[in-house]
Amino acid sequence: MDKILEGLVSSSHPLPLKRVIIRKVVESAEHGVDEAQCEAMFDLTTRLILEGQDPFQRQVGHQVLEAYARYHRPEFESFFNKTFVLGLLQQGYHSLDRKDVAILDYIHNGLKLIISCPSVLDLFSLLQVEVLRMVCERPEPQLCARLSDLLTDFVQCIPKGKLSITFCQQLVRTIGHFQCTSTQEKELREYVAQVTKVSNLLQSIWKAEPATLLPSLQEVFASISSTDASFEPSVTLASLVQHIPLQMITVLIKSLTTDPNVKDASMTQALCRMIDWLSWPLAQHVDIWVIALLKGLAAVQKFTILIDVTLLKIELVFNRLWFPLVRPGALAVLSHMLLSFQHSPEAFHLIVPHVVSLVHSFKNDGLPSSTTFLVQLTELVHCMMYHYSGFPDLYEPILEAVKDFPKPGEEKIKLILSQSAWTSQSNSLASCLSRLSGKSETGKTGLINLGNTCYMNSVIQALFMATDFRRHVLSLNLNGCNSLMKKLQHLFAFLAHTQREAYAPRIFFEASRPPWFTPRSQQDCSEYLRFLLDRLHEEEKNLKVQSSDKPSESLDCSETSLQEVAGAGKAALLTEVPCTSDGEKTLIEKMFGGKLRTHICCLNCRSTSQKVEAFTDLSLAFCPSSSIESLSFQDPISSPNAQDEDVMQASVSGPLEESEVYNSAIAAFVSDSVENEKSTGILPDEPHCTENTSVPTESSKILVNKVVPQKPGSETTPSVTDLLNYFLAPEILTGDNQYYCENCASLQNAEKTMQITEEPEYLILTLLRFSYDQKCHVRRKILDNVSLPLILELPVKRTNSLSSLSESWSINVDFTDINENLAKKLKSSGTEDAFCTKLVSYLLNSVVVHSGISSESGHYYSYARNITGTEPSYQLCHHQPETLAVASSQSHLLGRESPVTEQDLENKELSKEWFLFNDSRVTFTSFQSVQKITSRFPKDTAYVLLYKKQNSTNGLSSNNTTSGLWINGDPPLQKELMDAITKDNKLYLQEQELNARARALQAASASCSFRPNGFDDNDPPGSCGPSGGGGGGGFNTVGRLVF
């Protein structure tokens, strides 16, 4: 019969005929057949099954074998013995390799046929050994899946006792070696099905023998934590995660994170590979285990691992959001990684460029699941933008993309952030390397944050973009000098010419940091700017004194101390009343120095006192809302009642008092009392009565204070012009702020006015945004939006015959003369003696923005553009003739927004190129972004403004014969500077090469890969770090005052 069957299957007869004959052969198995005939038939069918040339032959072999084995069970038991099976497993069958899946399928079917025979027990014992050997040989997924099928059907073949643990461990290793190189969907589905069979086998063993679970998991961790570069464990290990009981999470994570034998490099590798598991389509609970491990590492303060892994894998996790099968888990892990990474925006900024395209893609498909996902993603993005609010250039496209989705409330955002934050910050982060790339497309160089130094960076960039100032600094010949100005020149030169994307200003920071500023703590940028300008001014003045042949000639300029406007510190002043001659002025005086006259009139005896002081910036308090619409006042010089020539009759009632010393360590802020006074139009002040001018009572009038009726329902946004008007408006000194009049020899009500008598080339305005709440004893930030005029008109009052008075308290008159004699010297003659107001036009040059809701934290960045002294001039409004200026209304005396047409602004100024400087990041922006910054990001408010005098002809450049070389660019650098820059650029190229080599080894390195210089204030945690613009806590941060 075997010969007939063999001839039949190899013949060329029609297939239907063959099937009929095969049916007869199968039926013949029911009849008696001798043992030899049975064995011959078993040999033939085995050969057909294992070596059949086509599916028909293999099918015939299975049918005939099953029929003969069923009816001739003893003969088949004798044939399918232990020796035969062992030979198949160890040697194969003829030309068939022992690892061929057909052999396992044959054994599987054979076991089914003799399951009721006693000899099967011997086969089970044999297979317990052989299957262990097979998994140790790392079979391919297909073979391993067939083995899993066999062991699932015949659990008796699974090794027992200690061997079961070994078997599970080896099976885990085998899974870790699985690979699929195909990209065809059908083959990928088969591959996933094969892996699923193997993982299900492990699950069944873990349930049957719980003692095998923990060793198996240990083997999983050993595989994924391996630092062997020659082996990359398969992502198919993710298939095992769904079978691990969730109740074990706490115990397992604690064991892993506290095990001293687990090195940081191994843990980093393990966590990275677990995150890779998010790509496995059928894996469940991977996100839960990944998040649990992240939390476990945070609990034991292994932040270096968390930082490394987050920065390395955050983009991969984000990319998994594109795939529906793994999207829920990927979003969960992404949310945790971003929300817990609160010390730096670096991780969030890695995915920011990809958010808009993802949102647009899912918005377009219109699926309900996509909409639900976008709502969740939008909430996450809003939380991150809230926490790192100082990057409008990055966030504006995202805000536009997600504007149709609900925005979470501030309280919800704070709750989410507080629940996700790490509890502390690693102290070893400062030693990590920076990851830098080439110079940005803007051509500008950023400044690396050295640890909460954004206050310095924003100020330096604003000064650097003050083109005339920069060019004069770069043109100075400072060879052989180690001054602060030399260091500033060095810094400016590098900002202008380095190839680096960002420069680390360490030397300049150490040299310019005020001694009372705590290193690595957030500080007030306005206070730093005042200190810096004062240092540069004093330094240059002292150098002039030292180099002078006649030191005594400079005594008038060196009696010094910083002057301060009486009261609330309205203006930041130079350390002296500067010399009159331009040639004797320092560079700071020529660029930023102006003069301010303070005039106080006693309302009892009408005597007046005047004082002129130099300033480098004006600190503008916020005016009460009732004063925004209009500021109605009359100053004693320009009002009709003050124009009588009797105004000039003076009597000196006492000697000149010493001026106050300005303490630059105390930053100006609006106290609670100031706010209370201002609400009624009164500013507290401490007057300095030094020179009294008596005004006849018949021409005297009591002047009104600043309070004016508010228009019903008016809620206009105040502008810088309004704040400047408020600064210059008269103040009535009453109550606790009464003025001590030497003429009356008592405290009296008085009126104080201030007038700018000499304008600076660059006008620096500081908006006093930080107030002190005396009830709560906390410092608060005033978050009011302020309109920033692109063109500002500054009212400057000048006089001819009183020019000597405008220089100082110490006027050149004989103070032994009083009353009549002094009146003769100061008596006016017609309009020549009258004060005239000139409106000087200024163009907005730069804006330093403070991001945050608290004075104790925040982040600084700046907007700036290039403006030179040769900007084209266009008149915004016509000045009144000088003869009319005397009687002009207060609106002409005050700075105001310019009545230019919208078209003029758009064509001439709005088109100018603006830059956004945010520490190491520099991007293009527009004036519209500057204008909308607070409306788009309520915590981001303009703080320090720098205006450039328009079409300046009387600045330093007009007196410098080389100024013509600077019109179209910066002056050429001195050789010493150029050599230093060239050397650093070469070093930079070498660093790039070394970094490229190091990145290849970084994954296996245990060293920290965190980069404190990449973004804002990473080390230590402070105002720009965990609170970065958020105004509150994180990492147990000790609050620092912004000022």
Side-chain angles (χ1 to χ4, degrees):
M1 187 66 68
D2 61 305
K3 298 298 182 181
I4 297 174
L5 180 62
E6 184 177 7
L8 177 66
V9 296
S10 60
S11 70
S12 59
H13 294 300
L15 190 61
L17 177 61
K18 290 182 178 181
R19 292 186 185 280
V20 172
I21 299 175
I22 293 300
R23 189 178 303 115
K24 297 296 183 178
V25 173
V26 171
E27 292 174 355
S28 68
E30 299 178 9
H31 307 295
V33 180
D34 59 32
E35 183 176 349
Q37 183 62 39
C38 284
E39 184 176 353
M41 189 62 72
F42 291 145
D43 281 334
L44 174 61
T45 54
T46 298
R47 187 169 70 252
L48 290 176
I49 292 172
L50 296 178
E51 295 184 321
Q53 297 177 358
D54 53 52
F56 174 73
Q57 291 186 4
R58 291 192 291 273
Q59 183 183 11
V60 168
H62 279 295
Q63 289 179 352
V64 175
L65 177 65
E66 288 179 5
Y68 273 80
R70 184 182 307 114
Y71 292 106
H72 306 279
R73 186 67 54 84
E75 288 80 2
F76 181 71
E77 183 179 7
S78 176
F79 171 80
F80 194 74
N81 57 38
K82 185 175 180 180
T83 302
F84 176 69
V85 172
L86 183 62
L88 289 176
L89 293 174
Q90 293 187 352
Q91 300 173 11
Y93 184 83
H94 298 168
S95 63
L96 200 66
D97 187 78
R98 62 190 176 88
K99 294 183 179 180
D100 197 290
V101 294
I103 290 179
L104 271 185
D105 288 341
Y106 177 81
I107 295 174
H108 192 174
N109 289 329
L111 290 175
K112 291 179 181 179
L113 296 174
I114 64 168
I115 187 63
S116 59
C117 300
S119 63
V120 75
L121 298 177
D122 293 334
L123 292 179
F124 288 160
S125 300
L126 170 68
L127 289 174
Q128 287 178 6
V129 177
E130 286 301 305
V131 295
L132 178 58
R133 177 189 60 78
M134 291 178 65
V135 296
C136 290
E137 293 177 349
R138 308 291 173 255
E140 293 297 319
Q142 185 182 19
L143 180 61
C144 202
R146 298 297 176 86
L147 179 62
S148 298
D149 289 337
L150 186 154
L151 296 179
T152 300
D153 288 343
F154 299 99
V155 294
Q156 301 91 331
C157 297
I158 298 174
K160 306 299 179 182
K162 292 183 178 180
L163 289 180
S164 66
I165 295 176
T166 304
F167 176 76
C168 289
Q169 290 176 323
Q170 292 299 325
L171 192 56
V172 167
R173 292 187 185 182
T174 298
I175 296 174
H177 281 77
F178 285 172
Q179 299 295 333
C180 180
T181 57
S182 175
T183 57
Q184 300 298 318
E185 182 178 355
K186 180 181 178 181
E187 295 180 2
L188 289 174
R189 289 181 179 274
E190 291 177 355
Y191 177 68
V192 172
Q194 292 162 1
V195 173
T196 302
K197 287 182 178 180
V198 180
S199 65
N200 288 340
L201 171 64
L202 267 175
Q203 179 194 23
S204 63
I205 297 175
W206 291 343
K207 286 183 176 180
E209 298 188 50
T212 60
L213 176 57
L214 188 57
S216 299
L217 297 182
Q218 291 173 339
E219 191 61 41
V220 171
F221 183 77
S223 295
I224 63 176
S225 63
S226 171
T227 57
D228 182 4
S230 64
F231 170 68
E232 182 61 32
S234 173
V235 71
T236 54
L237 287 170
S239 62
L240 301 178
V241 175
Q242 58 190 319
H243 303 310
I244 305 173
L246 293 177
Q247 298 87 337
M248 297 184 65
I249 284 183
T250 303
V251 175
L252 290 178
I253 296 301
K254 183 176 180 180
S255 174
L256 283 177
T257 55
T258 58
D259 188 347
N261 296 320
V262 178
K263 305 301 180 184
D264 283 358
S266 297
M267 183 63 75
T268 300
Q269 286 283 29
L271 186 52
C272 286
R273 286 163 176 161
M274 287 180 67
I275 292 173
D276 291 339
W277 291 353
L278 291 170
S279 304
W280 185 250
L282 300 181
Q284 299 177 13
H285 309 317
V286 171
D287 56 319
I288 297 175
W289 282 93
V290 169
I291 293 172
L293 184 54
L294 290 170
K295 289 181 177 180
L297 291 170
V300 295
Q301 300 183 0
K302 293 187 177 181
F303 300 114
T304 300
I305 297 174
L306 293 173
I307 292 166
D308 280 350
V309 172
T310 300
L311 295 179
L312 189 63
K313 291 296 182 179
I314 193 73
E315 291 177 280
L316 180 143
V317 175
F318 183 84
N319 289 335
R320 297 283 76 78
L321 299 178
W322 289 95
F323 305 101
L325 283 177
V326 299
R327 186 182 302 147
L331 181 60
V333 174
L334 179 73
S335 299
H336 180 81
M337 292 175 77
L338 288 178
L339 292 171
S340 61
F341 199 88
Q342 293 188 16
H343 64 284
S344 163
E346 187 173 4
F348 179 50
H349 288 177
L350 287 174
I351 70 163
V352 161
H354 313 297
V355 171
V356 174
S357 60
L358 183 73
V359 171
H360 286 323
S361 176
F362 284 98
K363 284 173 68 175
N364 294 334
D365 67 24
L367 297 175
S369 59
S370 298
T371 303
T372 302
F373 161 71
L374 286 178
V375 170
Q376 297 172 331
L377 180 65
T378 298
E379 181 177 282
L380 171 63
V381 168
H382 275 298
C383 287
M384 301 314 299
M385 291 191 296
Y386 175 89
H387 191 61
Y388 304 117
S389 60
F391 303 89
D393 55 321
L394 296 178
Y395 301 160
E396 285 178 351
I398 298 178
L399 285 175
E400 184 65 24
V402 301
K403 64 182 180 182
D404 298 330
F405 299 99
K407 177 181 179 181
E410 184 175 358
E411 291 303 317
K412 183 176 182 181
I413 291 176
K414 289 181 178 179
L415 178 63
I416 292 173
L417 290 171
S418 64
Q419 290 176 342
S420 306
W422 294 336
T423 56
S424 61
Q425 171 78 9
S426 172
N427 293 323
S428 62
L429 304 180
S431 62
C432 306
L433 297 176
S434 172
R435 179 179 61 192
L436 299 177
S437 58
K439 203 163 187 175
S440 72
E441 61 180 358
T442 64
K444 302 296 181 184
T445 303
L447 287 171
I448 293 173
N449 197 299
L450 305 177
N452 288 329
T453 58
C454 59
Y455 67 90
M456 177 190 72
N457 291 349
S458 58
V459 165
I460 294 302
Q461 294 286 19
L463 292 178
F464 178 79
M465 294 298 287
T467 308
D468 289 349
F469 176 65
R470 176 183 74 246
R471 290 176 177 176
H472 285 82
V473 170
L474 291 175
S475 68
L476 294 174
N477 185 0
L478 299 172
N479 287 337
C481 176
N482 193 30
S483 63
L484 183 60
M485 182 65 79
K486 174 67 174 179
K487 294 179 175 63
L488 180 62
Q489 184 186 62
H490 186 276
L491 177 55
F492 277 5
F494 269 79
L495 287 177
H497 299 284
T498 185
Q499 292 184 11
R500 296 178 183 272
E501 180 188 30
Y503 179 73
R506 292 184 177 86
I507 296 176
F508 185 81
F509 171 67
E510 292 301 328
S512 65
R513 178 176 59 85
W516 58 90
F517 276 17
T518 304
R520 295 191 173 275
S521 296
Q522 187 60 282
Q523 305 293 344
D524 179 21
C525 74
S526 177
E527 184 181 1
Y528 173 79
L529 176 58
R530 291 191 189 101
F531 177 81
L532 175 61
L533 295 181
D534 178 63
R535 277 277 311 277
L536 294 171
H537 165 72
E538 284 291 325
E539 188 179 74
E540 183 179 351
K541 185 187 67 175
N542 292 335
L543 289 175
K544 287 183 177 181
V545 172
Q546 294 172 9
S547 62
S548 174
D549 293 334
K550 298 179 180 180
S552 59
E553 292 179 3
S554 62
L555 290 178
D556 290 340
C557 295
S558 61
E559 289 184 355
T560 79
S561 18
L562 291 167
Q563 308 295 323
E564 182 178 34
V565 170
K570 278 188 166 184
L573 307 172
L574 289 172
T575 58
E576 58 180 273
V577 176
C579 302
T580 305
S581 170
D582 263 4
E584 297 178 1
K585 287 184 177 180
T586 65
L587 177 59
I588 300 303
E589 287 179 291
K590 293 172 184 176
M591 290 285 102
F592 305 100
K595 292 180 182 177
L596 188 71
R597 175 190 292 112
T598 303
H599 179 279
I600 300 177
C601 175
C602 175
L603 297 182
N604 181 42
C605 68
R606 311 306 297 167
S607 62
T608 63
S609 123
Q610 297 187 55
K611 180 176 182 179
V612 173
E613 296 170 301
F615 68 87
T616 54
D617 83 281
L618 301 179
S619 297
L620 306 183
F622 280 74
C623 48
S625 58
S626 62
S627 301
I628 293 176
E629 293 295 327
S630 61
L631 292 170
S632 178
F633 76 97
Q634 293 181 347
D635 65 80
I637 301 300
S638 62
S639 63
N641 292 324
Q643 296 309 312
D644 190 281
E645 67 180 36
D646 287 337
V647 171
M648 296 304 165
Q649 295 177 359
S651 65
V652 178
S653 60
L656 183 70
E657 290 187 358
E658 292 293 329
S659 59
E660 281 192 23
V661 175
Y662 175 75
N663 183 359
S664 57
I666 303 174
F669 64 90
V670 185
S671 69
D672 202 43
S673 61
V674 172
E675 292 300 310
N676 292 335
E677 293 290 349
K678 285 164 59 179
S679 65
T680 60
I682 300 172
L683 281 174
D685 209 329
E686 291 204 16
H688 307 279
C689 179
T690 60
E691 178 188 346
N692 293 323
T693 310
S694 183
V695 179
T697 57
E698 59 267 24
S699 63
S700 302
K701 279 192 176 183
I702 303 299
L703 304 178
V704 298
N705 62 23
K706 297 179 186 180
V707 175
V708 292
Q710 186 177 7
K711 295 180 182 179
S714 65
E715 295 183 359
T716 59
T717 299
S719 69
V720 173
T721 302
D722 294 323
L723 304 190
L724 186 60
N725 290 347
Y726 186 62
F727 175 83
L728 295 173
E731 304 171 11
I732 304 301
L733 307 179
T734 61
D736 293 339
N737 296 314
Q738 278 190 319
Y739 162 71
Y740 181 79
C741 176
E742 292 191 357
N743 197 40
C744 299
S746 62
L747 293 174
Q748 296 292 337
N749 291 344
E751 183 194 52
K752 184 176 96 170
T753 58
M754 290 191 293
Q755 301 150 352
I756 297 172
T757 60
E758 183 178 314
E759 73 279 10
E761 285 294 308
Y762 286 96
L763 175 64
I764 301 175
L765 302 176
T766 300
L767 309 186
L768 295 176
R769 289 194 172 274
F770 303 111
S771 61
Y772 184 72
D773 188 334
Q774 291 182 340
K775 295 179 181 179
C776 300
H777 299 290
V778 294
R779 290 169 174 79
R780 304 186 185 277
K781 181 180 177 182
I782 301 171
L783 292 170
D784 296 357
N785 192 9
V786 176
S787 175
L788 306 178
L790 191 62
I791 296 95
L792 179 72
E793 290 186 322
L794 183 71
V796 180
K797 291 201 171 187
R798 294 193 176 92
T799 179
N800 294 327
S801 63
L802 297 182
S803 60
S804 60
L805 181 64
S806 67
E807 295 303 326
S808 171
W809 282 96
S810 181
I811 59 176
N812 295 322
V813 297
D814 185 356
F815 284 97
T816 57
D817 295 334
I818 57 174
N819 295 333
E820 184 176 347
N821 291 335
L822 181 59
K824 290 179 181 179
K825 292 187 178 184
L826 301 180
K827 187 167 183 174
S828 62
S829 60
T831 59
E832 292 179 358
D833 296 331
F835 286 91
C836 63
T837 299
K838 179 181 179 182
L839 297 178
V840 180
S841 295
Y842 280 84
L843 302 177
L844 184 59
N845 196 152
S846 58
V847 179
V848 178
V849 176
H850 175 259
S851 175
I853 60 173
S854 166
S855 64
E856 299 182 351
S857 62
H859 174 60
Y860 289 105
Y861 56 93
S862 54
Y863 292 94
R865 61 172 175 162
N866 283 309
I867 299 179
T868 65
T870 58
E871 292 292 319
S873 174
Y874 53 94
Q875 195 61 44
L876 302 175
C877 63
H878 296 290
H879 298 315
Q880 294 188 349
E882 291 184 1
T883 55
L884 298 179
V886 174
S888 63
S889 67
Q890 63 272 13
S891 64
H892 289 132
L893 294 175
L894 299 179
R896 62 183 178 188
E897 283 155 350
S898 313
V900 297
T901 65
E902 239 175 80
Q903 192 63 33
D904 287 338
L905 286 177
E906 185 175 349
N907 293 340
K908 297 184 178 181
E909 291 303 324
L910 298 185
S911 61
K912 295 294 177 64
E913 202 169 63
W914 283 80
F915 300 94
L916 174 54
F917 296 91
N918 201 331
D919 285 337
S920 58
R921 181 180 176 84
V922 185
T923 55
F924 288 115
T925 188
S926 65
F927 183 63
Q928 286 83 351
S929 296
V930 182
Q931 289 176 310
K932 296 177 182 178
I933 184 66
T934 303
S935 61
R936 296 296 300 273
F937 305 96
K939 296 183 294 180
D940 293 26
T941 53
Y943 184 37
V944 177
L945 314 176
L946 194 147
Y947 280 87
K948 172 70 174 69
K949 189 162 67 170
Q950 186 187 11
N951 201 27
S952 172
T953 57
N954 60 351
L956 177 63
S957 61
S958 63
N959 297 324
N960 194 312
T961 58
T962 63
S963 62
L965 299 176
W966 307 347
I967 293 176
N968 297 318
D970 290 343
L973 296 182
Q974 298 174 24
K975 186 178 184 301
E976 178 188 355
L977 273 177
M978 186 53 69
D979 289 346
I981 293 172
T982 301
K983 180 179 179 181
D984 184 71
N985 284 338
K986 290 180 180 179
L987 177 62
Y988 169 73
L989 295 177
Q990 294 172 358
E991 290 172 357
Q992 291 295 93
E993 183 178 355
L994 290 174
N995 287 340
R997 294 171 179 265
R999 279 193 293 269
L1001 302 174
Q1002 193 172 10
S1005 172
S1007 62
C1008 172
S1009 63
F1010 181 56
R1011 307 159 190 83
N1013 297 334
F1015 269 104
D1016 310 310
D1017 303 290
N1018 298 320
D1019 178 34
S1023 297
C1024 289
S1027 302
F1035 309 132
N1036 298 329
T1037 306
V1038 178
R1040 279 285 310 169
L1041 300 183
V1042 173
F1043 52 89

